Amino acid sequence: TSSVRRNGPKFTQLIVGARSVSVDLNNDASLLIDIPDALCERDKVKFTVHTKTTLSSFQKPDFSVPRQHEDFIWLHDALVETEDYAGLIIPPAPPKPDFESPREKMHKLGEGEATMTKEEYTKMKQELEAEYLAVFKKTVQVHEVFLQRLSSHPILSKDRNFQIFLEYDQDLSVRRKNAKETFGSFFKNMVKSADEVIISGIKEVDDFFEQEKTFLLDYSSKIKDSTARAEKMTRSHKNVADDYIHISATLNSLSVDDNTALKKYTNVEGRVASDEELKLTELLRYYMLDIQAAKDLLYRRARALADYENSNKALDKARLKSKDITQAEEHQQQCLQKFDKLSESGKRELTSFKGRRVVAFRKNLIEMAELEIKHAKNNMALLQGCIELLKSN
Amino acid sequence: MKMATSSERSPPPFPEDLEPEPDEVGDQDSDDGEDIFLGTDNPLEIKMDPSLSASDIASSTKPLSEASSPPVMDLLSEPASEASSAPMVDLLMEPASEGSSAPMVDILSEPASEASSAPMVDLLMEPAREGSSAPMVDLLMEPASEASSAPMLDLFMEPASEASSGPMMNLLMEPASDDLKEPPKPDIDPLADILNDTPLSEVKTPVAAMPQETPSDLFDDEPSELFAEPRQSNTAKQQQTSIFDEPDEDLFSEPLGEASKKPQNDFFKEALAPVAKASNVCGPLSDNYNEHPTDIFTEEAMTTLPSAVSTVSVNSKTNGVHSDEEEPDIFAEATVELSLDSPRNDRKKKEAAKPSASAPAPSVSASASKPQPKTLEELEEEVEDKFELNISITNPEKVGDGMNAYMAYKVSTQTTLPMFRSKTFTVRRRFSDFLGLYEKLSDKHTPNGYIVPPPPEKSIMGMTKVKVGKEDNSSAEFVERRRAALERYLQRVVFHPSLLQDPDVREFLERDDMPRAHNTQALSGAGFLKMINRATDSLSKMTIKMNESDVWFEEKLQEVEAEDQQLRKLHIMVDSLVGHRKELSVNTGGFAKSVAMLGSSEDNTALSRALSQLAEVEDKMEQLHQEQAASDSFCFAELLADYIRLLGSVRASFDQRMKTWQRWQDAQNMLQKKRETEAKLLWANKPDKLQQAKDDITEWEAKVTQYERDFDRVSATVRKEVLRFEKEKACDFKKQIIKYLESLLQSQQQLIKYWEAFLPEAKAIA
């Protein structure tokens, strides 16, 4: 068994029935997407993307395809690069699955096995497995959410690439970005952020966008801060939970040599407490992740706004130069049209984003409060049980 | 048999088995003559010096000095050079530095009251029924024939009337027989052994123990301490010295001078000697005391103490008259021993009952122990069942300024125990007083295998902060933590049925002007740890050698060690839990602020409101986590720290047992060597040295028996103590853990409250 342990637990064949928390709101039933399960093989996660549709653009009403994380990224990039969607908020791409930290922890655990009692090791292992599972579930969820956001968008849901992504039953064999391209996109980002600084000096013509801009800048920095702090908080919460595991394990081994029933219950208490704490942590983290998603959304929006402003500025410049006026006018006209279009769709998008954000917050806050209460109540019941047991013997 | 014999009062009928030995002793004495004894005398004589200067006791000392002093003086200088005497001197010198002399008077009355309380009544009942005064008179009369008897009568008449001396005599007699074997030995060690004899202490009822034990304390393993104390107490010195002289005389003068005398007398003298000292009879007695009068005296003293408080008080009075402070000291020690005795006896009884023959069950002790267990049990019941003692420590208060500042704590006692003078009383004590108490208790009780609860460690860091006068949280927390730790410490001491009987404990609780404890430095942090480590080291070394006959001890020791490991580990974990929880609290606070900011910039009113509500909830959570962290450390970490220290004491008691075992083994080896020497001498046909060799053998045989008995006694004590400790521990853990769980429960309740209040806010977001 030791060799198995040294190699770490078998994470490889985890299959998760990830029931998504439905994040999206305007569900017309014409296109329903979910990821009923996913398979983790080494670094790759294979998602099963299941689609149910009444739309005639699809060949079948019900089908499933295997997709990898890279396919999602490809889809996202394709959408971002489509000129027509400039005025839209493209849903953020799902983050790359990261199983490194639980893996590393598991590795450490294997190394530290000798210093731990058997119960302690078992419990820590269980804990890590649970953590791993949680990470896995979250990963599936963010991918699912991404697709659902697309499917619920009136324009994006009609996108050709999206439909291919959903329907093509072979491996998409998306080409991974090569180094040059990676560098290119990095460079592009640099230019963009420098650009953003430049645009930020430009006076906004539309009050709505002006307000939105200030709000979003402010909001995003704050939510960034909140997320970081929530992360910190959950991490320390997790530490507390881990401490409880160790404590309960040690108490357990103590109770072996003092065969007092009391110790046993203390141990139970310890485990329970740790369990509870852990769940709480998970909840918090989940909540935090949602904030994160919201934050990402904000970023996207800010970027969209910047893009829009950028084009607006370009238009102005062209006008000012008064060179090639016909061409410029034409261009200006184009830009104006584009700008108007962007403004219009941007306005629409922002408003819907606002609504979406509020709804998401509401939902998550309620869920969090309910979970907190539920855990606290469980905790209480357990504690009370322990106390009674202790008192009675 | 013994019981029967013991019940007869008049001149001590000896248990048959014991008699031959005394005879031998007598032979030895004559043969060995002065050389042997000189070595032993020296240490004793050293004390003489101070005594000589004493004016009060001058009379008593003089006679002694006459008999022994001239030689003594010589001895002091010359014999000291001898091998055996030298170590003694060293021992005496070092311990001399310790010791608190003065305040003993108070103690006298207190311990006496203890001794005299319930348990004694049982023992004394039978004899008491008789007109006890009459026999006493008789007894007195015989000794009285000697010069000092008359004054003695006066002094003792009162106590005598109360208590019946008869049984006591028996008790004395038996132990005496044991003791007798050893006195002849030339080495210093034997002396110490003789005096400290466990058999003596065992045999005696708690009351009896008082007089006997005094000698043991004085001369025993820590003869140094005993001697040291008298020395230190400047005022008392003289008297004490005189006291010491007396025992010396008894032991040595008789065996030496009157080789043929009955061992009984000798024995009595030994036992009595301390008593006599205590009672201050010295002046008149000094002459006589070698003989019967002393005997009577001891009897009296013994009986009086146990029999009634009043007698005790009488004693103390008489004492007070003669020598104010010293006597109390003596008594105090005696009483201490009393308390010790009782558990021991108890244990013995149990052991005897058990098939496991591990109990030494010396014949004498068996008889004597019978009545004792009862008393012991009663004592314990008193303590445990009725719980008549409540101790709390409150009002920590800074006294003084700067680096000389210290914290004084109010120690309040509520009790219905008769041993205390009143039902409620409070005293102010500082931290070093607590350490001082531990030192005293540890010195007295650890050698006997008792688990003496250790006090909290010194914390230079924490105290410095307090001294500097920072009124911040951490120093307030430190003070409170220490207060609670001291309280738990004191409660552990007081709930220990044997320790409660210790006069030092009572002095600590009752006495208004506590003398400053010295040398508490030794206990501070590192020193304490070192001590424990040393104990562990020597323990492990010995374990290798020790071929453990009793599996129980082996297993228990392993258990204790494993538990120690576990507790330390657990303590570290709980510490990290506390740390993490504090971190969590801080982070929650940060999150709360951040959420509040987020809420302020949120443009949806309902959501903004909800977020600021969330911020409030998180604020409260911060508080909650902080409180929980405090209770983690208070309920849990402190408990663990306590028990890590306590386990150190447990190990020390195992260590002690090992030491006595080692001593026994060494003595056996020595005996073996002596026998070989004898065989060689026989073979070489050297009759002149043969006698010496035979004497040696007899002596070492006695020692071996003695040490074995010591070992058995300590083993029994350790066993009982460990069982008691385990019981206490289970109780303590249960109590504390329930408390801790309740604190957790409470914070969960709060948490629910907060979140439930928040829920409607979240739902109100539209």
Side-chain angles (χ1 to χ4, degrees), chain A residues 29-45:
Chain A
S30 61
L31 183 58
L32 295 176
I33 301 168
D34 65 339
I35 299 178
D37 63 41
L39 193 68
C40 182
E41 280 173 0
R42 281 278 143 208
D43 284 343
K44 285 181 196 163
V45 181

Side-chain angles (χ1 to χ4, degrees), chain B residues 328-342:
Chain B
D329 275 346
I330 295 166
F331 267 101
E333 288 181 3
T335 30
V336 173
E337 291 301 344
L338 254 184
S339 59
L340 286 180
D341 276 5
S342 51

Side-chain angles (χ1 to χ4, degrees), chain B residues 152-449:
Chain B
M152 290 301 295
L153 276 173
D154 291 346
L155 289 174
F156 295 100
M157 286 312 285
E158 298 175 8
S161 62
E162 294 185 354
S164 63
S165 58
M168 295 309 296
M169 291 294 293
N170 292 338
L171 290 174
L172 279 178
M173 294 310 290
E174 297 169 5
S177 60
D178 289 349
D179 287 351
L180 284 177
K181 305 167 190 171
E182 296 176 359
K185 297 171 186 174
D187 289 354
I188 297 167
D189 289 349
L191 250 185
D193 292 344
I194 295 168
L195 288 178
N196 59 7
D197 268 356
T198 44
L200 283 178
S201 57
E202 292 171 1
V203 175
K204 291 154 194 173
T205 53
V207 175
M210 293 193 52
Q212 291 177 341
E213 294 276 307
T214 13
S216 65
D217 282 350
L218 296 173
F219 295 97
D220 221 357
D221 296 346
E222 297 95 321
S224 56
E225 293 178 4
L226 298 174
F227 288 102
E229 290 184 4
R231 285 186 179 183
Q232 281 205 349
S233 61
N234 296 331
T235 57
K237 275 182 188 172
Q238 306 153 348
Q239 295 199 352
Q240 296 243 357
T241 49
S242 65
I243 291 164
F244 281 110
D245 295 348
E246 292 176 1
D248 289 352
E249 274 212 357
D250 288 341
L251 293 174
F252 296 102
S253 64
E254 291 186 357
L256 289 176
E258 327 161 32
S260 59
K261 270 190 184 178
K262 276 191 179 180
Q264 298 178 353
N265 287 337
D266 291 354
F267 174 62
F268 273 121
K269 290 168 192 171
E270 294 174 3
L272 295 179
V275 174
K277 301 164 193 172
S279 57
N280 262 342
V281 187
C282 29
L285 286 179
S286 60
D287 289 352
N288 305 338
Y289 81 161
N290 26 353
E291 315 232 323
H292 291 282
T294 42
D295 289 354
I296 294 167
F297 217 49
T298 48
E299 292 176 18
E300 265 200 6
M302 294 174 58
T303 49
T304 52
L305 288 179
S307 60
V309 179
S310 62
T311 49
V312 173
S313 63
V314 170
N315 270 345
S316 63
K317 279 177 196 166
T318 53
N319 290 334
V321 173
H322 287 274
S323 64
D324 305 339
E325 301 188 344
E326 296 180 355
E327 300 203 349
D329 275 346
I330 295 166
F331 267 101
E333 288 181 3
T335 30
V336 173
E337 291 301 344
L338 254 184
S339 59
L340 286 180
D341 276 5
S342 51
R344 219 180 278 152
N345 287 333
D346 201 20
R347 199 174 310 119
K348 287 213 169 173
K349 185 195 169 193
K350 283 180 190 162
E351 295 241 324
K354 284 179 195 168
S356 71
S358 65
S363 57
V364 176
S365 68
S367 62
S369 64
K370 278 182 188 173
Q372 293 234 347
K374 266 188 203 167
T375 57
L376 274 184
E377 277 159 25
E378 283 174 30
L379 271 182
E380 277 183 26
E381 272 171 29
E382 251 182 340
V383 175
E384 288 174 14
D385 293 345
K386 295 175 194 165
F387 188 65
E388 288 170 322
L389 192 58
N390 237 324
I391 287 189
S392 61
I393 294 179
T394 51
N395 298 5
E397 219 173 69
K398 194 168 138 188
V399 179
D401 282 315
M403 287 319 280
N404 288 326
Y406 61 89
M407 296 299 297
Y409 303 85
K410 197 166 124 191
V411 179
S412 317
T413 313
Q414 274 185 306
T415 181
T416 56
L417 290 177
M419 67 172 76
F420 293 99
R421 275 176 295 183
S422 51
K423 290 206 186 310
T424 59
F425 41 89
T426 57
V427 288
R428 288 202 79 80
R429 294 283 179 261
R430 53 183 295 182
F431 184 63
S432 55
D433 294 334
F434 288 87
L435 294 188
L437 175 65
Y438 168 73
E439 277 203 342
K440 285 186 204 159
L441 294 178
S442 171
D443 287 348
K444 274 185 278 188
H445 301 280
T446 306
N448 292 315

Side-chain angles (χ1 to χ4, degrees), chain A residues 120 215 218-219 225-226 229 236 243-244 253 258 262 269 354 357-358 362 376 379 390-391 393, chain B residues 566 569 576-577 580-581 587 590 594 601-604 729 734 740-742 748 752 755 763 765:
Chain A
E120 209 174 341
F215 167 73
D218 181 33
Y219 200 78
D225 181 56
S226 294
R229 286 183 187 278
S236 42
D243 287 337
Y244 266 113
S253 54
D258 304 24
L262 128 126
E269 174 268 324
K354 207 175 265 181
R357 189 186 71 231
V358 172
R362 176 176 191 268
N379 239 337
L390 271 176
K391 278 183 177 163
N393 73 61
Chain B
Q566 296 281 6
K569 198 173 152 195
S576 104
L577 172 69
H580 282 143
R581 183 105 66 189
N587 287 338
S594 173
S601 55
E602 171 62 59
D603 59 356
N604 180 300
K729 186 183 67 188
K734 187 170 156 181
Y740 178 62
L741 291 185
E742 274 166 354
Q748 292 298 323
I752 292 179
W755 283 113
K763 284 182 175 157
I765 302 170

Side-chain angles (χ1 to χ4, degrees), chain B residues 454 485 488-489 492 637-647:
Chain B
R488 289 193 305 273
Y489 156 67
R492 284 202 181 96
E638 289 284 282
L639 173 77
L640 295 175
D642 274 8
Y643 271 90
I644 288 170
R645 281 201 301 273
L646 273 169
L647 280 180

